[in-house]
Amino acid sequence: MWQLLGQVTWVFTPVTTEITSLDTENIDDILNNADVALVNFYADWCRFSQMLHPIFEEASNVIKEEYPNENQVVFARVDCDQHSDIAQRYRISKYPTLKLFRNGMMMKREYRGQRSVKALADYIRQQKSDPVQELHDLAEITTLDRSKRNIIGYFEQKDSENYRVFERVANILHDDCAFLSAFGAVSKPERYSGDNIIYKPPGQSAPDMVYLGSMTNFDGTYNWIQDKCVPLVREITFENGEELTEEGLPFLILFHMKEDTESLEIFQNEVARQLISEKGTINFLHADCDKFRHPLLHIQKTPADCPVIAIDSFRHMYVFGDFRDVLIPGKLKQFVFDLHSGKLHREFHHGPDPTDTAPGQQVQDVASSPPESSFQKLAPSEYRYTLLRDRDEL
């Protein structure tokens, strides 16, 4: 009887795990060997960090029961006060910050969801699910959602280095593209020159693009697919607004009605033509006029005025002239240059620069105040994080 009771007790004993503490000595080794690692960057004095600790530990216990192998999933933490060098390495600007790693590579999107055991466990389960949908008949391609960006790999064998590289890239970029694959006899009609990867852009009429590089070269494959999956002009939503704001770059935004794809295409083409060299200094975005009525009202516009182009510098908002002026060569580029030079800010406060007035024309100091930033409100909240620093914005 006692032996049986002891066995029953043992069966129902929950798995408990120690959260792995990372330091400069072990961080690379632990993260590089983990299929998936969720790392909590915290400070002991931060009340939000204190509230998260027991939740994070319980979520780790739940996941450990489902993925018992040591390197399948790792829950780890970094005391940022004790290891400020690690915090700087990963550009930690708030506590707590939860970052996801795959085989040592930090994912661009950090965890920003609900801080509950269930939400964290569901997030890890999602990350562990297969990011690649297998096609069993090429006819399935005709039913693809063509509003999405689709990456399709055709392989002779699943157990191959070509597919392992493809799967690794899919693990990283599955939030940005839909990944599909076909093998063996199913894929044979598409493998006339060997294994290959194609990109199907959004839209029924857009032509396919073929990857011409080495399929065993991870960097080359990743860079090509990332270029296709992450567009130059991204859509801002309430779901990704915090993430985009935290990148710290001013916004150049096209406000347009959802069905107005013509204005979006014009904007995308002109950004690519005039501003490709500015990538990395400003975020190119588009927003639904109906969903973002408040920022429009901020600049004294309504959805009826769309399409509208504006810059949000996180201090002020500045409106581009007439939308059709975007087609004037160099006009959009000058608008962005005027932000970086401070000219937009000066002119809102003091009127046109002296160089912009006719000879002999009297320059008046016209006091005005540009609308304050609207999208700054989407930044990480002090009611959810301890924020470490303020940005200097134009």
Side-chain angles (χ1 to χ4, degrees), residues 126-391:
Q126 181 187 20
Q127 298 303 318
K128 289 295 290 180
S129 63
D130 193 338
V132 183
Q133 176 189 338
E134 183 174 348
L135 299 171
H136 300 286
D137 189 322
L138 292 185
E140 295 175 43
I141 293 175
T142 62
T143 64
L144 290 181
D145 182 352
R146 293 307 301 269
S147 67
K148 295 182 178 179
R149 293 172 169 79
N150 293 282
I151 303 287
I152 307 177
Y154 299 103
F155 304 93
E156 182 178 2
Q157 296 180 348
K158 191 169 188 176
D159 184 16
S160 64
E161 186 61 23
N162 284 353
Y163 181 70
R164 279 189 284 273
V165 169
F166 182 78
E167 186 179 39
R168 186 179 168 197
V169 173
N171 270 313
I172 298 168
L173 295 173
H174 66 272
D175 288 334
D176 301 296
C177 269
F179 285 82
L180 306 100
S181 62
F183 304 96
V186 175
S187 66
K188 190 173 182 179
E190 296 291 338
R191 288 190 291 105
Y192 40 84
S193 59
D195 290 359
N196 66 88
I197 300 170
I198 69 162
Y199 166 61
K200 286 186 173 293
Q204 295 291 343
S205 59
D208 294 349
M209 301 178 70
V210 182
Y211 175 55
L212 300 176
S214 167
M215 293 181 66
T216 58
N217 182 316
F218 170 78
D219 289 339
T221 306
Y222 173 79
N223 289 334
W224 186 84
I225 294 179
Q226 183 191 43
D227 182 62
K228 306 298 177 284
C229 291
V230 183
L232 185 61
V233 179
R234 295 176 284 176
E235 181 177 12
I236 185 169
T237 65
F238 290 111
E239 289 72 29
N240 68 5
E242 181 180 280
E243 172 192 334
L244 289 171
T245 302
E246 200 174 11
E247 289 181 11
L249 300 176
F251 292 172
L252 176 67
I253 312 175
L254 167 69
F255 295 93
H256 67 106
M257 302 304 291
K258 187 174 183 179
E259 63 275 11
D260 179 15
T261 57
E262 180 185 353
S263 296
L264 176 57
E265 186 175 349
I266 290 172
F267 182 69
Q268 289 170 327
N269 289 340
E270 291 307 316
V271 166
R273 183 177 292 116
Q274 300 185 39
L275 293 170
I276 192 69
S277 63
E278 294 303 301
K279 185 179 179 181
T281 69
I282 192 166
N283 268 326
F284 310 117
L285 307 170
H286 67 100
D288 186 326
C289 283
D290 277 328
K291 291 181 180 178
F292 286 92
R293 287 171 177 262
H294 181 71
L296 280 173
L297 290 173
H298 225 55
I299 54 176
Q300 300 181 331
K301 302 287 185 182
T302 70
D305 297 308
C306 289
V308 173
I309 296 174
I311 283 175
D312 191 319
S313 73
F314 298 145
R315 275 186 65 188
H316 298 297
M317 292 188 73
Y318 307 97
V319 183
F320 186 71
D322 185 273
F323 173 76
R324 305 303 300 186
D325 288 349
V326 76
L327 296 171
I328 299 174
K331 188 81 171 181
L332 191 61
K333 186 173 187 176
Q334 189 61 52
F335 184 52
V336 172
F337 280 5
D338 287 348
L339 170 76
H340 292 319
S341 70
K343 182 178 179 181
L344 291 180
H345 191 76
R346 289 194 306 273
E347 289 192 343
F348 263 107
H349 284 290
H350 306 295
D353 276 1
T355 54
D356 293 338
T357 57
Q361 181 180 342
Q362 187 174 358
V363 178
Q364 293 183 328
D365 194 16
V366 182
S368 66
S369 180
E372 292 184 353
S373 169
S374 184
F375 287 91
Q376 177 63 24
K377 296 178 178 65
L378 296 180
S381 168
E382 62 184 9
Y383 299 106
R384 182 172 163 81
Y385 301 98
T386 299
L387 307 176
L388 299 186
R389 60 178 180 272
D390 293 322
R391 298 190 189 97

Side-chain angles (χ1 to χ4, degrees), residues 43-91:
D44 278 331
W45 49 264
C46 163
R47 65 188 178 97
F48 301 111
S49 296
Q50 295 165 8
M51 293 163 63
L52 179 62
H53 282 321
I55 296 169
F56 195 71
E57 289 175 2
E58 182 59 28
S60 174
N61 292 338
V62 169
I63 289 298
K64 195 65 177 177
E65 291 186 349
E66 299 177 28
Y67 302 96
N69 292 350
E70 184 179 3
N71 292 329
Q72 282 184 295
V73 178
V74 171
F75 277 68
R77 62 188 176 191
V78 174
D79 182 336
C80 293
D81 280 343
Q82 296 293 322
H83 303 288
S84 58
D85 53 335
I86 297 178
Q88 290 174 6
R89 173 179 172 182
Y90 293 109
R91 302 180 66 184

